Amino acid sequence: MGLISSGTLRKGPLKPVGELLNYSRKYSLWMFQWGLACCAIEMGVALAGPRYDVMRLGVIPFPASPRQADLIVISGTVTDKMAPAIKRLYEQMPDPKYVISMGSCANCGGPYWDSYSVTKGVDQIIPVDVYVPGCPPRPEAFIQGIVMLQERIQKEDPADRWQGKGWEPIVVAG
Amino acid sequence: MPDDTNDDTVEDGAPNAEHEATIATLARELGDGAVVESGVLGGANPGVASLVVRVRPDAWARAAHVCRSTLGYDYLCFIAGIDWMPMPAADEDAEGDTSAPVQPKEMTFGVAGSEGRFQAFAHVESTRVPRSGLTLKTDVDEQDPHVQSWFATYPGADWHERECWEMYGFVFDGHPNLRHIYLPSNFEGHPLRKDFPLLAREVKPWPGLVNVEAMPGEAGDDEEEAAS
């Protein structure tokens, strides 16, 4: 039984080590960006624009592969045809991994609530940590989602995460 | 060109001299009453008005050939389908539909008419001659929806016909590779047919245009009313 899965890092003399581990993970989130539709532009503003610049929060965008990523942002409309590809890429990410669903389409289907081709929410195929509402969300809302996710990472016990506990989703309030 | 062709007030359906010549060429080349009906969309102003010609289904592929070789329309804009069936939610027992204008309950047909529910239509343009494009329509049988393919004349028809096939179920005879283009390959049904069941609408009927916010300055705009 390893240090993490035994829970040793959450209590006792090694607790500061666990906190340091979480602190490090929190500020080095490699983010795999999954631009599916117009929300991707808003996400690009939050990532690459000098005004918002999510890298100052320790989020590193554009890893070369999902196998290097800790965080995936689903930004845009998920279609039934694209859903298997999203699932496959999510499964390639190493644990522990986090998902932000950005925009109304990824949250619930949004304006395509009655469409024949749109998946009504990416949470039907992968578990979502943070929902960012909006059509599209403002970059501020997206960055708020990142900050709330970082708070969760700081507080969480990696052992719980790996045992599938602590999946209660965070919703960024409008 | 007569002066009255520049008059914007001329209503739809009055072909100008250029349109007449196009219709005459099509009728001559296709022969034997293959041109069923024609009409003009958007007034008679040259460059704006668009001629719509409906041809018999058995002359559909030949019409494409005439367009390209004789009439000089070298660019295929699109091929698409039409389902003239009224929207299913528009019948008497549908509640809460606030669409405006009110959706028709009977089948209504556009310019140049239609025999039945389904039509295929295509728009061609000329890149060499400065003139308005030509829209061709043909009727498609509801029970046996077969249409002649335009692939031999306009290779660009390939993807348009594949899309039309998956969305409306029209079988394009002569198309070399009729398979799904947008939808997943295991998709069943033809989603742009009006009677395609949308599961979400079975649960919650289409609410129409509710919750439409007023534009700034329009009546009903809250901020405007608060300011006044």
Side-chain angles (χ1 to χ4, degrees):
Chain A
M1 188 170 277
L3 277 177
I4 289 177
S5 52
S6 66
T8 317
L9 293 181
R10 289 306 290 170
K11 52 185 184 292
L14 287 181
K15 193 180 171 197
V17 178
E19 280 174 1
L20 183 64
L21 179 68
N22 277 352
Y23 192 78
S24 316
R25 290 200 299 129
K26 166 186 166 185
Y27 284 132
S28 63
L29 284 171
W30 284 57
M31 187 184 111
F32 192 61
Q33 55 101 16
W34 188 275
L36 291 169
C38 31
C39 276
I41 296 169
E42 210 72 8
M43 189 185 62
V45 171
L47 292 182
R51 188 183 179 94
Y52 297 104
D53 188 19
V54 82
M55 280 181 84
R56 71 201 152 93
L57 299 173
V59 176
I60 303 157
F62 315 123
S65 136
R67 298 178 189 217
Q68 299 174 341
D70 308 300
L71 164 66
I72 185 168
V73 177
I74 311 290
S75 53
T77 316
V78 181
T79 60
D80 291 343
K81 197 173 182 178
M82 185 58 91
I86 291 176
K87 175 108 175 127
R88 181 179 297 183
L89 282 172
Y90 173 77
E91 283 168 351
Q92 289 185 28
M93 289 165 62
D95 275 315
K97 50 193 171 188
Y98 302 89
V99 178
I100 294 181
S101 161
M102 180 183 182
S104 298
C105 291
N107 290 344
C108 63
Y112 309 106
W113 64 280
D114 57 353
S115 165
Y116 54 87
S117 61
V118 173
T119 306
K120 312 300 183 301
V122 71
D123 49 6
Q124 292 188 16
I125 49 170
I126 57 177
V128 174
D129 285 280
V130 180
Y131 293 90
V132 185
C135 187
R138 294 274 313 167
E140 291 95 328
F142 173 65
I143 289 172
Q144 175 72 6
I146 298 238
V147 170
M148 290 168 95
L149 179 68
Q150 288 176 331
E151 284 168 3
R152 156 173 291 190
I153 295 172
Q154 177 67 63
K155 286 182 196 143
E156 83 179 353
D157 180 355
D160 282 353
R161 184 81 190 180
W162 290 349
Q163 286 159 12
K165 297 177 194 162
W167 280 104
E168 292 77 26
I170 302 169
V171 178
V172 177
Chain B
M1 185 111 2
D3 284 336
D4 62 350
T5 54
N6 282 323
D7 186 0
D8 287 338
T9 59
V10 177
E11 289 179 6
D12 285 359
N16 61 27
E18 184 190 308
H19 296 150
E20 296 284 8
T22 307
I23 298 169
T25 310
L26 273 171
R28 189 183 67 242
E29 294 288 329
L30 299 175
D32 202 19
V35 172
V36 182
E37 208 177 323
S38 63
V40 177
L41 206 59
N45 200 349
V48 176
S50 179
L51 178 64
V52 182
V53 178
R54 181 167 141 229
V55 300
R56 264 201 338 247
D58 60 343
W60 182 242
R62 263 192 308 134
H65 185 71
V66 172
C67 281
R68 179 149 199 175
S69 56
T70 313
L71 291 167
Y73 290 110
D74 53 350
Y75 174 67
L76 171 68
C77 211
F78 65 83
I79 298 179
I82 309 175
D83 183 355
W84 290 109
M85 188 185 190
M87 203 166 81
D91 53 36
E92 293 294 339
D93 23 297
E95 287 178 6
D97 185 357
T98 56
S99 301
V102 176
Q103 297 294 309
K105 296 185 172 67
E106 302 293 322
M107 238 187 303
T108 52
F109 304 120
V111 178
S114 174
E115 187 93 330
R117 182 182 157 192
F118 287 131
Q119 275 190 317
F121 77 129
H123 188 81
V124 287
E125 296 269 353
S126 172
T127 59
R128 298 193 180 90
V129 191
R131 60 176 166 177
S132 60
L134 168 66
T135 306
L136 286 163
K137 287 185 175 179
T138 191
D139 302 327
V140 181
D141 188 70
E142 186 174 342
Q143 304 304 325
D144 184 33
H146 280 260
V147 192
Q148 294 173 344
S149 172
W150 277 20
F151 181 75
T153 310
Y154 295 100
D158 185 354
W159 288 8
H160 295 264
E161 291 181 349
R162 277 171 65 186
E163 181 187 5
C164 193
W165 166 76
E166 69 176 0
M167 293 294 170
Y168 291 94
F170 298 172
V171 180
F172 285 88
D173 297 319
H175 190 285
N177 189 20
L178 219 48
R179 60 190 170 88
H180 281 297
I181 179 166
Y182 292 125
L183 298 172
S185 53
N186 57 357
F187 194 95
E188 288 177 16
H190 305 292
L192 287 196
R193 287 188 176 188
K194 293 281 174 65
D195 51 4
F196 181 83
L198 294 171
L199 279 181
R201 287 197 188 183
E202 302 289 320
V203 180
K204 179 183 166 60
W206 165 241
L209 295 175
V210 291
N211 296 331
V212 175
E213 290 176 21
M215 295 295 282
E218 265 183 19
D221 177 31
D222 290 341
E223 289 178 23
E224 188 77 13
E225 282 168 13
S228 61

PDB file of all heavy atoms in Angstrom, chain A residues 80-81 113-117 120, chain B residues 181-183 191 198 200-201 204:
ATOM      1  N   ASP A  80     -22.869  13.612 -30.905  1.00  0.00           N
ATOM      2  CA  ASP A  80     -22.825  12.164 -30.708  1.00  0.00           C
ATOM      3  C   ASP A  80     -21.678  11.546 -31.499  1.00  0.00           C
ATOM      4  O   ASP A  80     -21.124  10.521 -31.121  1.00  0.00           O
ATOM      5  CB  ASP A  80     -24.149  11.534 -31.152  1.00  0.00           C
ATOM      6  CG  ASP A  80     -25.277  11.920 -30.212  1.00  0.00           C
ATOM      7  OD1 ASP A  80     -24.980  12.368 -29.101  1.00  0.00           O
ATOM      8  OD2 ASP A  80     -26.457  11.783 -30.599  1.00  0.00           O
ATOM      9  N   LYS A  81     -21.338  12.189 -32.619  1.00  0.00           N
ATOM     10  CA  LYS A  81     -20.254  11.644 -33.428  1.00  0.00           C
ATOM     11  C   LYS A  81     -18.894  11.909 -32.782  1.00  0.00           C
ATOM     12  O   LYS A  81     -17.975  11.117 -32.931  1.00  0.00           O
ATOM     13  CB  LYS A  81     -20.303  12.273 -34.820  1.00  0.00           C
ATOM     14  CG  LYS A  81     -19.505  11.520 -35.862  1.00  0.00           C
ATOM     15  CD  LYS A  81     -19.743  12.100 -37.237  1.00  0.00           C
ATOM     16  CE  LYS A  81     -18.986  11.332 -38.281  1.00  0.00           C
ATOM     17  NZ  LYS A  81     -19.241  11.843 -39.624  1.00  0.00           N
ATOM     18  N   TRP A 113     -30.897  21.729 -27.311  1.00  0.00           N
ATOM     19  CA  TRP A 113     -31.546  20.794 -26.385  1.00  0.00           C
ATOM     20  C   TRP A 113     -32.386  19.752 -27.111  1.00  0.00           C
ATOM     21  O   TRP A 113     -32.564  18.654 -26.601  1.00  0.00           O
ATOM     22  CB  TRP A 113     -32.418  21.561 -25.399  1.00  0.00           C
ATOM     23  CG  TRP A 113     -33.550  22.279 -26.075  1.00  0.00           C
ATOM     24  CD1 TRP A 113     -33.468  23.467 -26.723  1.00  0.00           C
ATOM     25  CD2 TRP A 113     -34.898  21.847 -26.206  1.00  0.00           C
ATOM     26  NE1 TRP A 113     -34.678  23.803 -27.251  1.00  0.00           N
ATOM     27  CE2 TRP A 113     -35.588  22.831 -26.947  1.00  0.00           C
ATOM     28  CE3 TRP A 113     -35.602  20.724 -25.761  1.00  0.00           C
ATOM     29  CZ2 TRP A 113     -36.939  22.722 -27.256  1.00  0.00           C
ATOM     30  CZ3 TRP A 113     -36.951  20.631 -26.074  1.00  0.00           C
ATOM     31  CH2 TRP A 113     -37.615  21.619 -26.806  1.00  0.00           C
ATOM     32  N   ASP A 114     -32.904  20.078 -28.298  1.00  0.00           N
ATOM     33  CA  ASP A 114     -33.760  19.108 -28.976  1.00  0.00           C
ATOM     34  C   ASP A 114     -33.119  18.559 -30.246  1.00  0.00           C
ATOM     35  O   ASP A 114     -33.794  17.981 -31.074  1.00  0.00           O
ATOM     36  CB  ASP A 114     -35.121  19.733 -29.306  1.00  0.00           C
ATOM     37  CG  ASP A 114     -34.974  20.989 -30.157  1.00  0.00           C
ATOM     38  OD1 ASP A 114     -33.835  21.414 -30.364  1.00  0.00           O
ATOM     39  OD2 ASP A 114     -35.989  21.541 -30.602  1.00  0.00           O
ATOM     40  N   SER A 115     -31.816  18.746 -30.389  1.00  0.00           N
ATOM     41  CA  SER A 115     -31.177  18.351 -31.642  1.00  0.00           C
ATOM     42  C   SER A 115     -31.046  16.839 -31.750  1.00  0.00           C
ATOM     43  O   SER A 115     -30.984  16.123 -30.761  1.00  0.00           O
ATOM     44  CB  SER A 115     -29.803  18.990 -31.730  1.00  0.00           C
ATOM     45  OG  SER A 115     -29.052  18.369 -32.743  1.00  0.00           O
ATOM     46  N   TYR A 116     -30.995  16.368 -33.000  1.00  0.00           N
ATOM     47  CA  TYR A 116     -30.824  14.934 -33.246  1.00  0.00           C
ATOM     48  C   TYR A 116     -29.370  14.509 -33.123  1.00  0.00           C
ATOM     49  O   TYR A 116     -29.079  13.331 -33.100  1.00  0.00           O
ATOM     50  CB  TYR A 116     -31.344  14.569 -34.638  1.00  0.00           C
ATOM     51  CG  TYR A 116     -30.726  15.402 -35.744  1.00  0.00           C
ATOM     52  CD1 TYR A 116     -29.533  15.039 -36.333  1.00  0.00           C
ATOM     53  CD2 TYR A 116     -31.337  16.568 -36.171  1.00  0.00           C
ATOM     54  CE1 TYR A 116     -28.958  15.821 -37.310  1.00  0.00           C
ATOM     55  CE2 TYR A 116     -30.779  17.349 -37.141  1.00  0.00           C
ATOM     56  CZ  TYR A 116     -29.590  16.967 -37.707  1.00  0.00           C
ATOM     57  OH  TYR A 116     -29.013  17.741 -38.670  1.00  0.00           O
ATOM     58  N   SER A 117     -28.447  15.462 -33.089  1.00  0.00           N
ATOM     59  CA  SER A 117     -27.041  15.085 -33.214  1.00  0.00           C
ATOM     60  C   SER A 117     -26.182  15.509 -32.029  1.00  0.00           C
ATOM     61  O   SER A 117     -25.014  15.169 -31.991  1.00  0.00           O
ATOM     62  CB  SER A 117     -26.456  15.707 -34.494  1.00  0.00           C
ATOM     63  OG  SER A 117     -26.549  17.105 -34.421  1.00  0.00           O
ATOM     64  N   LYS A 120     -26.438  15.681 -24.962  1.00  0.00           N
ATOM     65  CA  LYS A 120     -27.010  16.661 -24.027  1.00  0.00           C
ATOM     66  C   LYS A 120     -26.183  16.686 -22.745  1.00  0.00           C
ATOM     67  O   LYS A 120     -26.602  16.218 -21.689  1.00  0.00           O
ATOM     68  CB  LYS A 120     -28.468  16.319 -23.727  1.00  0.00           C
ATOM     69  CG  LYS A 120     -29.332  16.029 -24.949  1.00  0.00           C
ATOM     70  CD  LYS A 120     -29.387  17.208 -25.903  1.00  0.00           C
ATOM     71  CE  LYS A 120     -30.309  16.930 -27.075  1.00  0.00           C
ATOM     72  NZ  LYS A 120     -29.943  15.758 -27.868  1.00  0.00           N
TER      73      LYS A 120
ATOM     74  N   ILE B 181     -22.075  11.372 -44.296  1.00  0.00           N
ATOM     75  CA  ILE B 181     -21.003  12.368 -44.356  1.00  0.00           C
ATOM     76  C   ILE B 181     -20.903  13.134 -43.045  1.00  0.00           C
ATOM     77  O   ILE B 181     -19.820  13.361 -42.533  1.00  0.00           O
ATOM     78  CB  ILE B 181     -21.204  13.306 -45.567  1.00  0.00           C
ATOM     79  CG1 ILE B 181     -20.114  14.370 -45.631  1.00  0.00           C
ATOM     80  CG2 ILE B 181     -22.566  13.967 -45.564  1.00  0.00           C
ATOM     81  CD1 ILE B 181     -20.052  15.095 -46.948  1.00  0.00           C
ATOM     82  N   TYR B 182     -22.032  13.538 -42.450  1.00  0.00           N
ATOM     83  CA  TYR B 182     -21.994  14.269 -41.184  1.00  0.00           C
ATOM     84  C   TYR B 182     -22.356  13.379 -40.003  1.00  0.00           C
ATOM     85  O   TYR B 182     -21.780  13.496 -38.937  1.00  0.00           O
ATOM     86  CB  TYR B 182     -22.972  15.447 -41.205  1.00  0.00           C
ATOM     87  CG  TYR B 182     -22.581  16.533 -42.161  1.00  0.00           C
ATOM     88  CD1 TYR B 182     -23.441  16.969 -43.146  1.00  0.00           C
ATOM     89  CD2 TYR B 182     -21.332  17.127 -42.068  1.00  0.00           C
ATOM     90  CE1 TYR B 182     -23.073  17.973 -44.020  1.00  0.00           C
ATOM     91  CE2 TYR B 182     -20.960  18.126 -42.938  1.00  0.00           C
ATOM     92  CZ  TYR B 182     -21.840  18.541 -43.905  1.00  0.00           C
ATOM     93  OH  TYR B 182     -21.481  19.533 -44.771  1.00  0.00           O
ATOM     94  N   LEU B 183     -23.343  12.538 -40.195  1.00  0.00           N
ATOM     95  CA  LEU B 183     -23.866  11.758 -39.073  1.00  0.00           C
ATOM     96  C   LEU B 183     -22.993  10.540 -38.827  1.00  0.00           C
ATOM     97  O   LEU B 183     -22.281  10.087 -39.726  1.00  0.00           O
ATOM     98  CB  LEU B 183     -25.294  11.325 -39.396  1.00  0.00           C
ATOM     99  CG  LEU B 183     -26.276  12.488 -39.585  1.00  0.00           C
ATOM    100  CD1 LEU B 183     -27.610  11.991 -40.091  1.00  0.00           C
ATOM    101  CD2 LEU B 183     -26.453  13.237 -38.291  1.00  0.00           C
ATOM    102  N   PRO B 191     -32.924  12.931 -40.325  1.00  0.00           N
ATOM    103  CA  PRO B 191     -33.333  13.911 -39.321  1.00  0.00           C
ATOM    104  C   PRO B 191     -33.941  15.204 -39.847  1.00  0.00           C
ATOM    105  O   PRO B 191     -34.596  15.896 -39.093  1.00  0.00           O
ATOM    106  CB  PRO B 191     -32.032  14.199 -38.565  1.00  0.00           C
ATOM    107  CG  PRO B 191     -30.948  13.756 -39.444  1.00  0.00           C
ATOM    108  CD  PRO B 191     -31.489  12.641 -40.260  1.00  0.00           C
ATOM    109  N   LEU B 198     -37.985  13.881 -32.518  1.00  0.00           N
ATOM    110  CA  LEU B 198     -36.945  14.436 -31.653  1.00  0.00           C
ATOM    111  C   LEU B 198     -37.316  14.065 -30.222  1.00  0.00           C
ATOM    112  O   LEU B 198     -38.328  14.513 -29.698  1.00  0.00           O
ATOM    113  CB  LEU B 198     -36.869  15.951 -31.810  1.00  0.00           C
ATOM    114  CG  LEU B 198     -36.411  16.445 -33.177  1.00  0.00           C
ATOM    115  CD1 LEU B 198     -36.586  17.943 -33.296  1.00  0.00           C
ATOM    116  CD2 LEU B 198     -34.966  16.072 -33.431  1.00  0.00           C
ATOM    117  N   ALA B 200     -36.223  14.814 -27.314  1.00  0.00           N
ATOM    118  CA  ALA B 200     -36.365  15.888 -26.330  1.00  0.00           C
ATOM    119  C   ALA B 200     -37.726  16.568 -26.463  1.00  0.00           C
ATOM    120  O   ALA B 200     -38.328  16.993 -25.482  1.00  0.00           O
ATOM    121  CB  ALA B 200     -35.245  16.907 -26.508  1.00  0.00           C
ATOM    122  N   ARG B 201     -38.243  16.637 -27.691  1.00  0.00           N
ATOM    123  CA  ARG B 201     -39.533  17.307 -27.884  1.00  0.00           C
ATOM    124  C   ARG B 201     -40.714  16.419 -27.509  1.00  0.00           C
ATOM    125  O   ARG B 201     -41.823  16.909 -27.326  1.00  0.00           O
ATOM    126  CB  ARG B 201     -39.675  17.740 -29.341  1.00  0.00           C
ATOM    127  CG  ARG B 201     -38.807  18.909 -29.679  1.00  0.00           C
ATOM    128  CD  ARG B 201     -39.273  19.558 -30.952  1.00  0.00           C
ATOM    129  NE  ARG B 201     -38.327  20.573 -31.390  1.00  0.00           N
ATOM    130  CZ  ARG B 201     -38.509  21.333 -32.441  1.00  0.00           C
ATOM    131  NH1 ARG B 201     -39.586  21.191 -33.165  1.00  0.00           N
ATOM    132  NH2 ARG B 201     -37.614  22.233 -32.785  1.00  0.00           N
ATOM    133  N   LYS B 204     -40.703  17.531 -23.854  1.00  0.00           N
ATOM    134  CA  LYS B 204     -41.033  18.950 -23.686  1.00  0.00           C
ATOM    135  C   LYS B 204     -41.274  19.542 -25.061  1.00  0.00           C
ATOM    136  O   LYS B 204     -40.330  19.678 -25.841  1.00  0.00           O
ATOM    137  CB  LYS B 204     -39.867  19.669 -23.007  1.00  0.00           C
ATOM    138  CG  LYS B 204     -40.063  21.158 -22.803  1.00  0.00           C
ATOM    139  CD  LYS B 204     -38.804  21.760 -22.180  1.00  0.00           C
ATOM    140  CE  LYS B 204     -38.788  23.272 -22.252  1.00  0.00           C
ATOM    141  NZ  LYS B 204     -39.892  23.932 -21.581  1.00  0.00           N
TER     142      LYS B 204
END
